[in-house]
């Protein structure tokens, strides 16, 4: 594992025997190759350890062969046209770098999932390749500073946000049940205005849930650490201690599944959707990323000029990578749910920029000028000569509006959605940084030894000049930033279809092929899988909106109206009964018209953005009706119930 060497078959047999002994000791009767296809969640097919012995008895068996590779029927997993139906075979292959774990009675073995023809059908295979590319490129750069460096590891600490709702209320909301979000629902008079939920005392039912989740995670070796109430009512967060990146990604997948399983045991439902409720914050997944040589975090400025030179080189590589490939980072966060969140004044905007904080920005500016012959500023950082001032870790963390923020000794990518695997953002991030390292190495290689210091200084200064437009320390929620970003030429990819386009970009395909992470066929197939998933989700939402409106909302308004009409025909009918009746009747026609208009667009299934617009309009009309119709006649649990009963 440490040296990435190929595995001998006899070793595999021994490991399999050890795993089986351990797992059966823990009560496991089954094993599964556990993998992450291009859907939400993971896949598993359980087999028992039992074989017959040919003499009427049973024996337990688990060989190296079964551990290393299996052949699940892959025809029903998304592949974006890679697999022909006549060649439905896929292979799952053991990833020894991610520890096996036990869920209930099943030994789960993390695996990659590839097509018969060799293409990746999952998130893990390209992630491992991206990590290998990063390792190689980073080691090359590090060699200019320290020839003993053998391995550079990437680390990830994720923060997972989620909502909890009562199971009974959930079951009465067809939209939550089928789409994970409320397609309708009038804002609660009280939601998050008082900001009394964030970090507030955790209610007993929730605390029970959280501690059950944590115990379950610890048993599986997942170092759950932090738990707290989030900004929105009924919203919470869990975060573990950071781990080796590939392991952390798997652990996040297991955590999402565990949250849902334990919620169910507590008569709660855990919503991982990016935007379950309108008018309150949605849920994201923060991706805290760093790279290290052994114990030495390369994103930690050291206390001597030599360590600082490495730090500044790494920092400049990241600035260059993020500026050159902001579109790819954005694409890795694109899905139907996140479209409701990014740029909605609660989450980072769809524009990717880097927050460095004042102090680091100042250092970068000095570094930029360091090369200039004359500078008005007295202070100039000279790489490998000057010592950087100690950077205060907490001060840099206060800008919550930035999608990509330096937070002391790591970068925090905050645009990913709560339901997404961490794999995709990290496939992008590690590959683009590998490319930047690679380009810096190529330049350094061309330098004569005695000019190394000066040459590096010049290179870093050039990088800053070329890419400093990506640095933005201001408020990313402000309208002005959109204008400013446009002037700087930064992409603003607002919707999923726009954000997925970069996957088809020739320059991006060339980079992924060059670093052996994804080939052209895989890139195109991923684009197709993601765009199809997006389209299907919107169509499901639209179909359901129509159904709820026709069978629940319109009948409710009609029932209210007929109740009112008896008052309007009574002897005490007056201006008030007329006014109330008219208001309900108007609301009914609004809802009906909006429904018809959505139906017309839905039938065509041609323009997804139009369908989304019409859905939003119908929702507006329904939410208005909710504020008019008698409470006891309203067929859906309301926001005040969903968000405050738990
Ligand atoms: P926040 O202030 O954003 O709520 P924290 O500072 O508590 O978050 O840390 C969030 C996550 O960052 C945790 O999972 C933590 O383990 C992780 N983290 C801390 N240091 C590093 C590092 N060097 N590399 C990667 N992740 C890290
Ligand atoms: Mg965070």
């Amino acid at each position: 594992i440490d040296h990435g060497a190929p595995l001998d078959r006899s070793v595999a047999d021994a490991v399999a025997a050890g795993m089986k002994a351990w797992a059966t000791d823990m009560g496991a009767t089954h094993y599964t190759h556990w993998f992450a296809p291009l859907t939400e969640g993971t896949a598993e097919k359980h087999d028992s350890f039992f074989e017959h012995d040919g003499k009427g008895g049973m024996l337990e068996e688990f060989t190296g062969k079964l551990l290393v590779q299996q052949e699940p029927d892959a025809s029903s997993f998304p592949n974006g046209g890679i697999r022909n139906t006549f060649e439905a075979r896929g292979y799952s292959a053991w990833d020894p770098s991610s520890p096996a774990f036990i869920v209930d009675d099943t030994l789960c073995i993390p695996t990659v999932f590839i097509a018969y023809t060799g293409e990746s059908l999952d998130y893990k295979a390209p992630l491992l390749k991206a990590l290998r590319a990063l390792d190689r490129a980073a080691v090359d750069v590090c060699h200019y500073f320290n020839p003993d460096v053998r391995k550079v590891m990437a680390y990830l600490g994720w923060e997972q946000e989620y909502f909890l709702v009562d199971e009974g209320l959930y079951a009465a909301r067809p939209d939550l049940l089928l789409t994970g979000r409320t397609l309708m629902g009038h804002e609660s008079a009280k939601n998050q205005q008082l900001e009394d939920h964030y970090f507030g005392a955790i209610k007993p039912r929730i605390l029970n849930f959280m501690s059950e989740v944590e115990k379950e995670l610890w048993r599986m070796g997942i170092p759950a650490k932090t738990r707290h109430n989030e900004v929105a009512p009924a919203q919470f967060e869990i975060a573990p201690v950071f781990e080796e990146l590939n392991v952390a990604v798997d652990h996040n997948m297991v955590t999402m599944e565990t949250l849902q399983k334990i919620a169910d045991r507590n008569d709660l439902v855990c919503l991982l959707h990016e935007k379950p409720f309108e008018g309150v914050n949605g849920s994201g997944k923060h991706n805290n990323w760093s790279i290290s040589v052994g114990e030495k975090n390369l994103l930690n400025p050291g206390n001597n000029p030599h360590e600082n030179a490495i730090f500044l080189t790494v920092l400049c590589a990241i600035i260059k990578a993020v500026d050159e490939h902001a579109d790819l980072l954005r694409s890795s966060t694109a899905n139907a749910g996140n479209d409701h969140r990014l740029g909605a004044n609660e989450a980072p905007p769809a524009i990717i920029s880097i927050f460095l904080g004042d102090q680091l920005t100042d250092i970068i500016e000095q570094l930029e000028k360091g090369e200039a012959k004359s500078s008005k500023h007295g202070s100039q950082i000279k790489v490998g000569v000057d010592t950087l001032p100690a950077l205060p870790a907490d001060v840099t963390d206060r800008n919550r509006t930035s999608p990509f923020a330096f937070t002391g000794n790591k970068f925090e990518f905050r645009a990913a959605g709560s339901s997404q695997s961490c794999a995709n953002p990290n496939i992008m991030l590690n590959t683009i940084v590998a490319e930047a390292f690679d380009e810096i190495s190529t330049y350094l290689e061309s330098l004569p030894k005695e000019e190394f210091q000066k040459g590096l200084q010049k290179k870093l200064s050039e990088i800053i000049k070329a890419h400093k437009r990506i640095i933005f320390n201001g408020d990313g929620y402000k309208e002005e930033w959109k204008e400013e970003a446009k002037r700087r030429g930064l992409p603003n990819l607002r919707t999923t279809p726009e954000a997925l386009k970069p996957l088809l970009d020739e320059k991006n395909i060339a980079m992924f092929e060059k670093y052996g992470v994804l080939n052209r066929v895989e890139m195109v197939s991923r684009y197709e899988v993601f765009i199809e998933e997006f389209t299907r989700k919107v169509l499901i939402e639209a179909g359901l909106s129509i159904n709820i409106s026709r069978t629940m909302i319109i009948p409710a308004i009609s029932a209210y109206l007929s109740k009112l009409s008896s008052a309007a025909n009574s002897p005490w009918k007056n201006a008030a009964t007329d006014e109330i009746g008219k208001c309900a009747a108007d609301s009914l026609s609004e809802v009906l018209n909006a429904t018809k208009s959505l139906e017309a667009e839905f039938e065509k299934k041609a323009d997804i953005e139009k369908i989304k617009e019409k859905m939003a309009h119908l929702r507006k009309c329904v939410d208005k009706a909710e504020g008019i119709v008698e409470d006891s006649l309203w067929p859906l649990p309301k926001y005040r119930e969903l968000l405050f009963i738990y």
Side-chain angles (χ1 to χ4, degrees), residues 154-159 198-199 225-226 228 230 237 239-243 286-292 297 299 397-398 400 407 409-412 414:
Y155 290 88
L156 168 67
W158 44 262
E159 302 162 65
Y198 190 59
F199 280 25
K225 184 81 178 168
T226 307
H228 61 81
E230 259 302 330
E237 181 183 296
V241 181
F242 67 96
E243 298 178 274
H286 291 178
N287 190 96
N288 295 273
W289 177 89
S290 66
I291 49 177
S292 291
N297 179 353
L299 285 171
D397 193 19
R398 293 306 146 218
R400 290 277 155 186
T407 49
N409 59 0
K410 60 190 191 291
F411 272 100
E412 181 167 351
R414 299 177 174 138

Side-chain angles (χ1 to χ4, degrees), residues 4 38 59 77 111 117 144 180 195 300 307-308 340 433 574 585:
L38 299 174
L59 48 85
F77 293 109
T111 56
T117 40
Y144 288 95
E195 300 181 335
N300 220 344
E307 284 176 350
N308 290 328
H340 297 285
V433 175
N574 65 7

Side-chain angles (χ1 to χ4, degrees), residues 59-268:
L59 48 85
E60 290 172 349
E61 196 178 59
F62 188 55
T63 58
K65 184 165 172 272
L66 293 172
L67 165 66
V68 170
Q69 187 176 308
Q70 286 190 22
E71 211 179 296
D73 177 6
S75 52
S76 296
F77 293 109
N79 64 79
I82 283 182
R83 255 181 300 96
N84 295 321
T85 33
F86 64 82
E87 192 42 273
R89 271 185 295 171
Y91 289 110
S92 55
W94 180 35
D95 167 19
S97 64
S98 182
F101 54 95
I102 296 170
V103 178
D104 303 325
D105 63 358
T106 304
L107 169 68
C108 300
I109 299 154
T111 56
V112 297
F113 182 47
I114 54 177
Y116 177 66
T117 40
E119 289 92 0
S120 312
L121 298 173
D122 72 346
Y123 285 114
K124 189 191 264 290
L127 179 67
L128 291 173
K129 291 171 181 171
L131 289 169
R132 190 181 54 192
L134 177 86
D135 175 26
R136 282 183 185 161
V139 165
D140 280 353
V141 168
C142 285
H143 277 172
Y144 288 95
F145 303 93
N146 177 0
D148 295 334
V149 171
R150 288 284 164 274
K151 194 163 179 64
V152 174
M153 300 273 280
Y155 290 88
L156 168 67
W158 44 262
E159 302 162 65
Q160 173 77 49
E161 292 180 329
Y162 60 93
F163 279 84
L164 289 172
V165 295
D166 181 85
E167 194 172 53
L169 297 172
Y170 170 87
R173 293 279 322 207
D175 45 1
L176 280 181
L177 199 66
L178 297 191
T179 71
R181 78 176 180 108
T182 54
L183 298 172
M184 299 153 184
H186 193 288
E187 250 184 75
S188 166
K190 174 180 190 268
N191 51 45
Q192 63 190 41
Q193 306 94 321
L194 302 180
E195 300 181 335
D196 51 355
H197 193 253
Y198 190 59
F199 280 25
I202 302 170
K203 294 219 166 90
R205 186 178 176 192
I206 302 300
L207 198 57
N208 268 341
F209 160 83
M210 287 176 168
S211 67
E212 225 180 292
V213 167
E214 288 165 337
K215 280 178 197 144
E216 193 87 0
L217 295 179
W218 294 332
R219 275 161 42 99
M220 291 184 282
I222 301 174
K225 184 81 178 168
T226 307
R227 62 187 190 198
H228 61 81
N229 288 355
E230 259 302 330
V231 173
Q235 191 188 28
F236 311 93
E237 181 183 296
I238 181 168
V241 181
F242 67 96
E243 298 178 274
E244 192 271 304
L245 198 148
N246 172 41
V247 175
V249 170
D250 283 352
H251 281 174
N252 179 250
M253 298 305 288
V254 179
T255 300
M256 289 198 283
E257 278 156 19
T258 306
L259 286 168
Q260 285 166 311
K261 186 173 82 180
I262 305 296
D264 192 44
R265 263 191 224 156
N266 286 273
D267 303 325
L268 293 163

Side-chain angles (χ1 to χ4, degrees), residues 14 34 94 113 148 188 230 238 276 313 329 344 353-354 367 374 396 413 418 523 535 563 570 601 628 633-634:
W34 179 85
W94 180 35
F113 182 47
D148 295 334
S188 166
E230 259 302 330
I238 181 168
T313 306
L329 282 179
S353 63
I354 299 181
L367 183 60
S374 72
T396 54
F413 184 38
S418 48
M523 293 284 282
T535 309
K563 245 178 141 173
S570 66
E601 206 57 53
I628 293 169
L633 294 174
W634 196 253

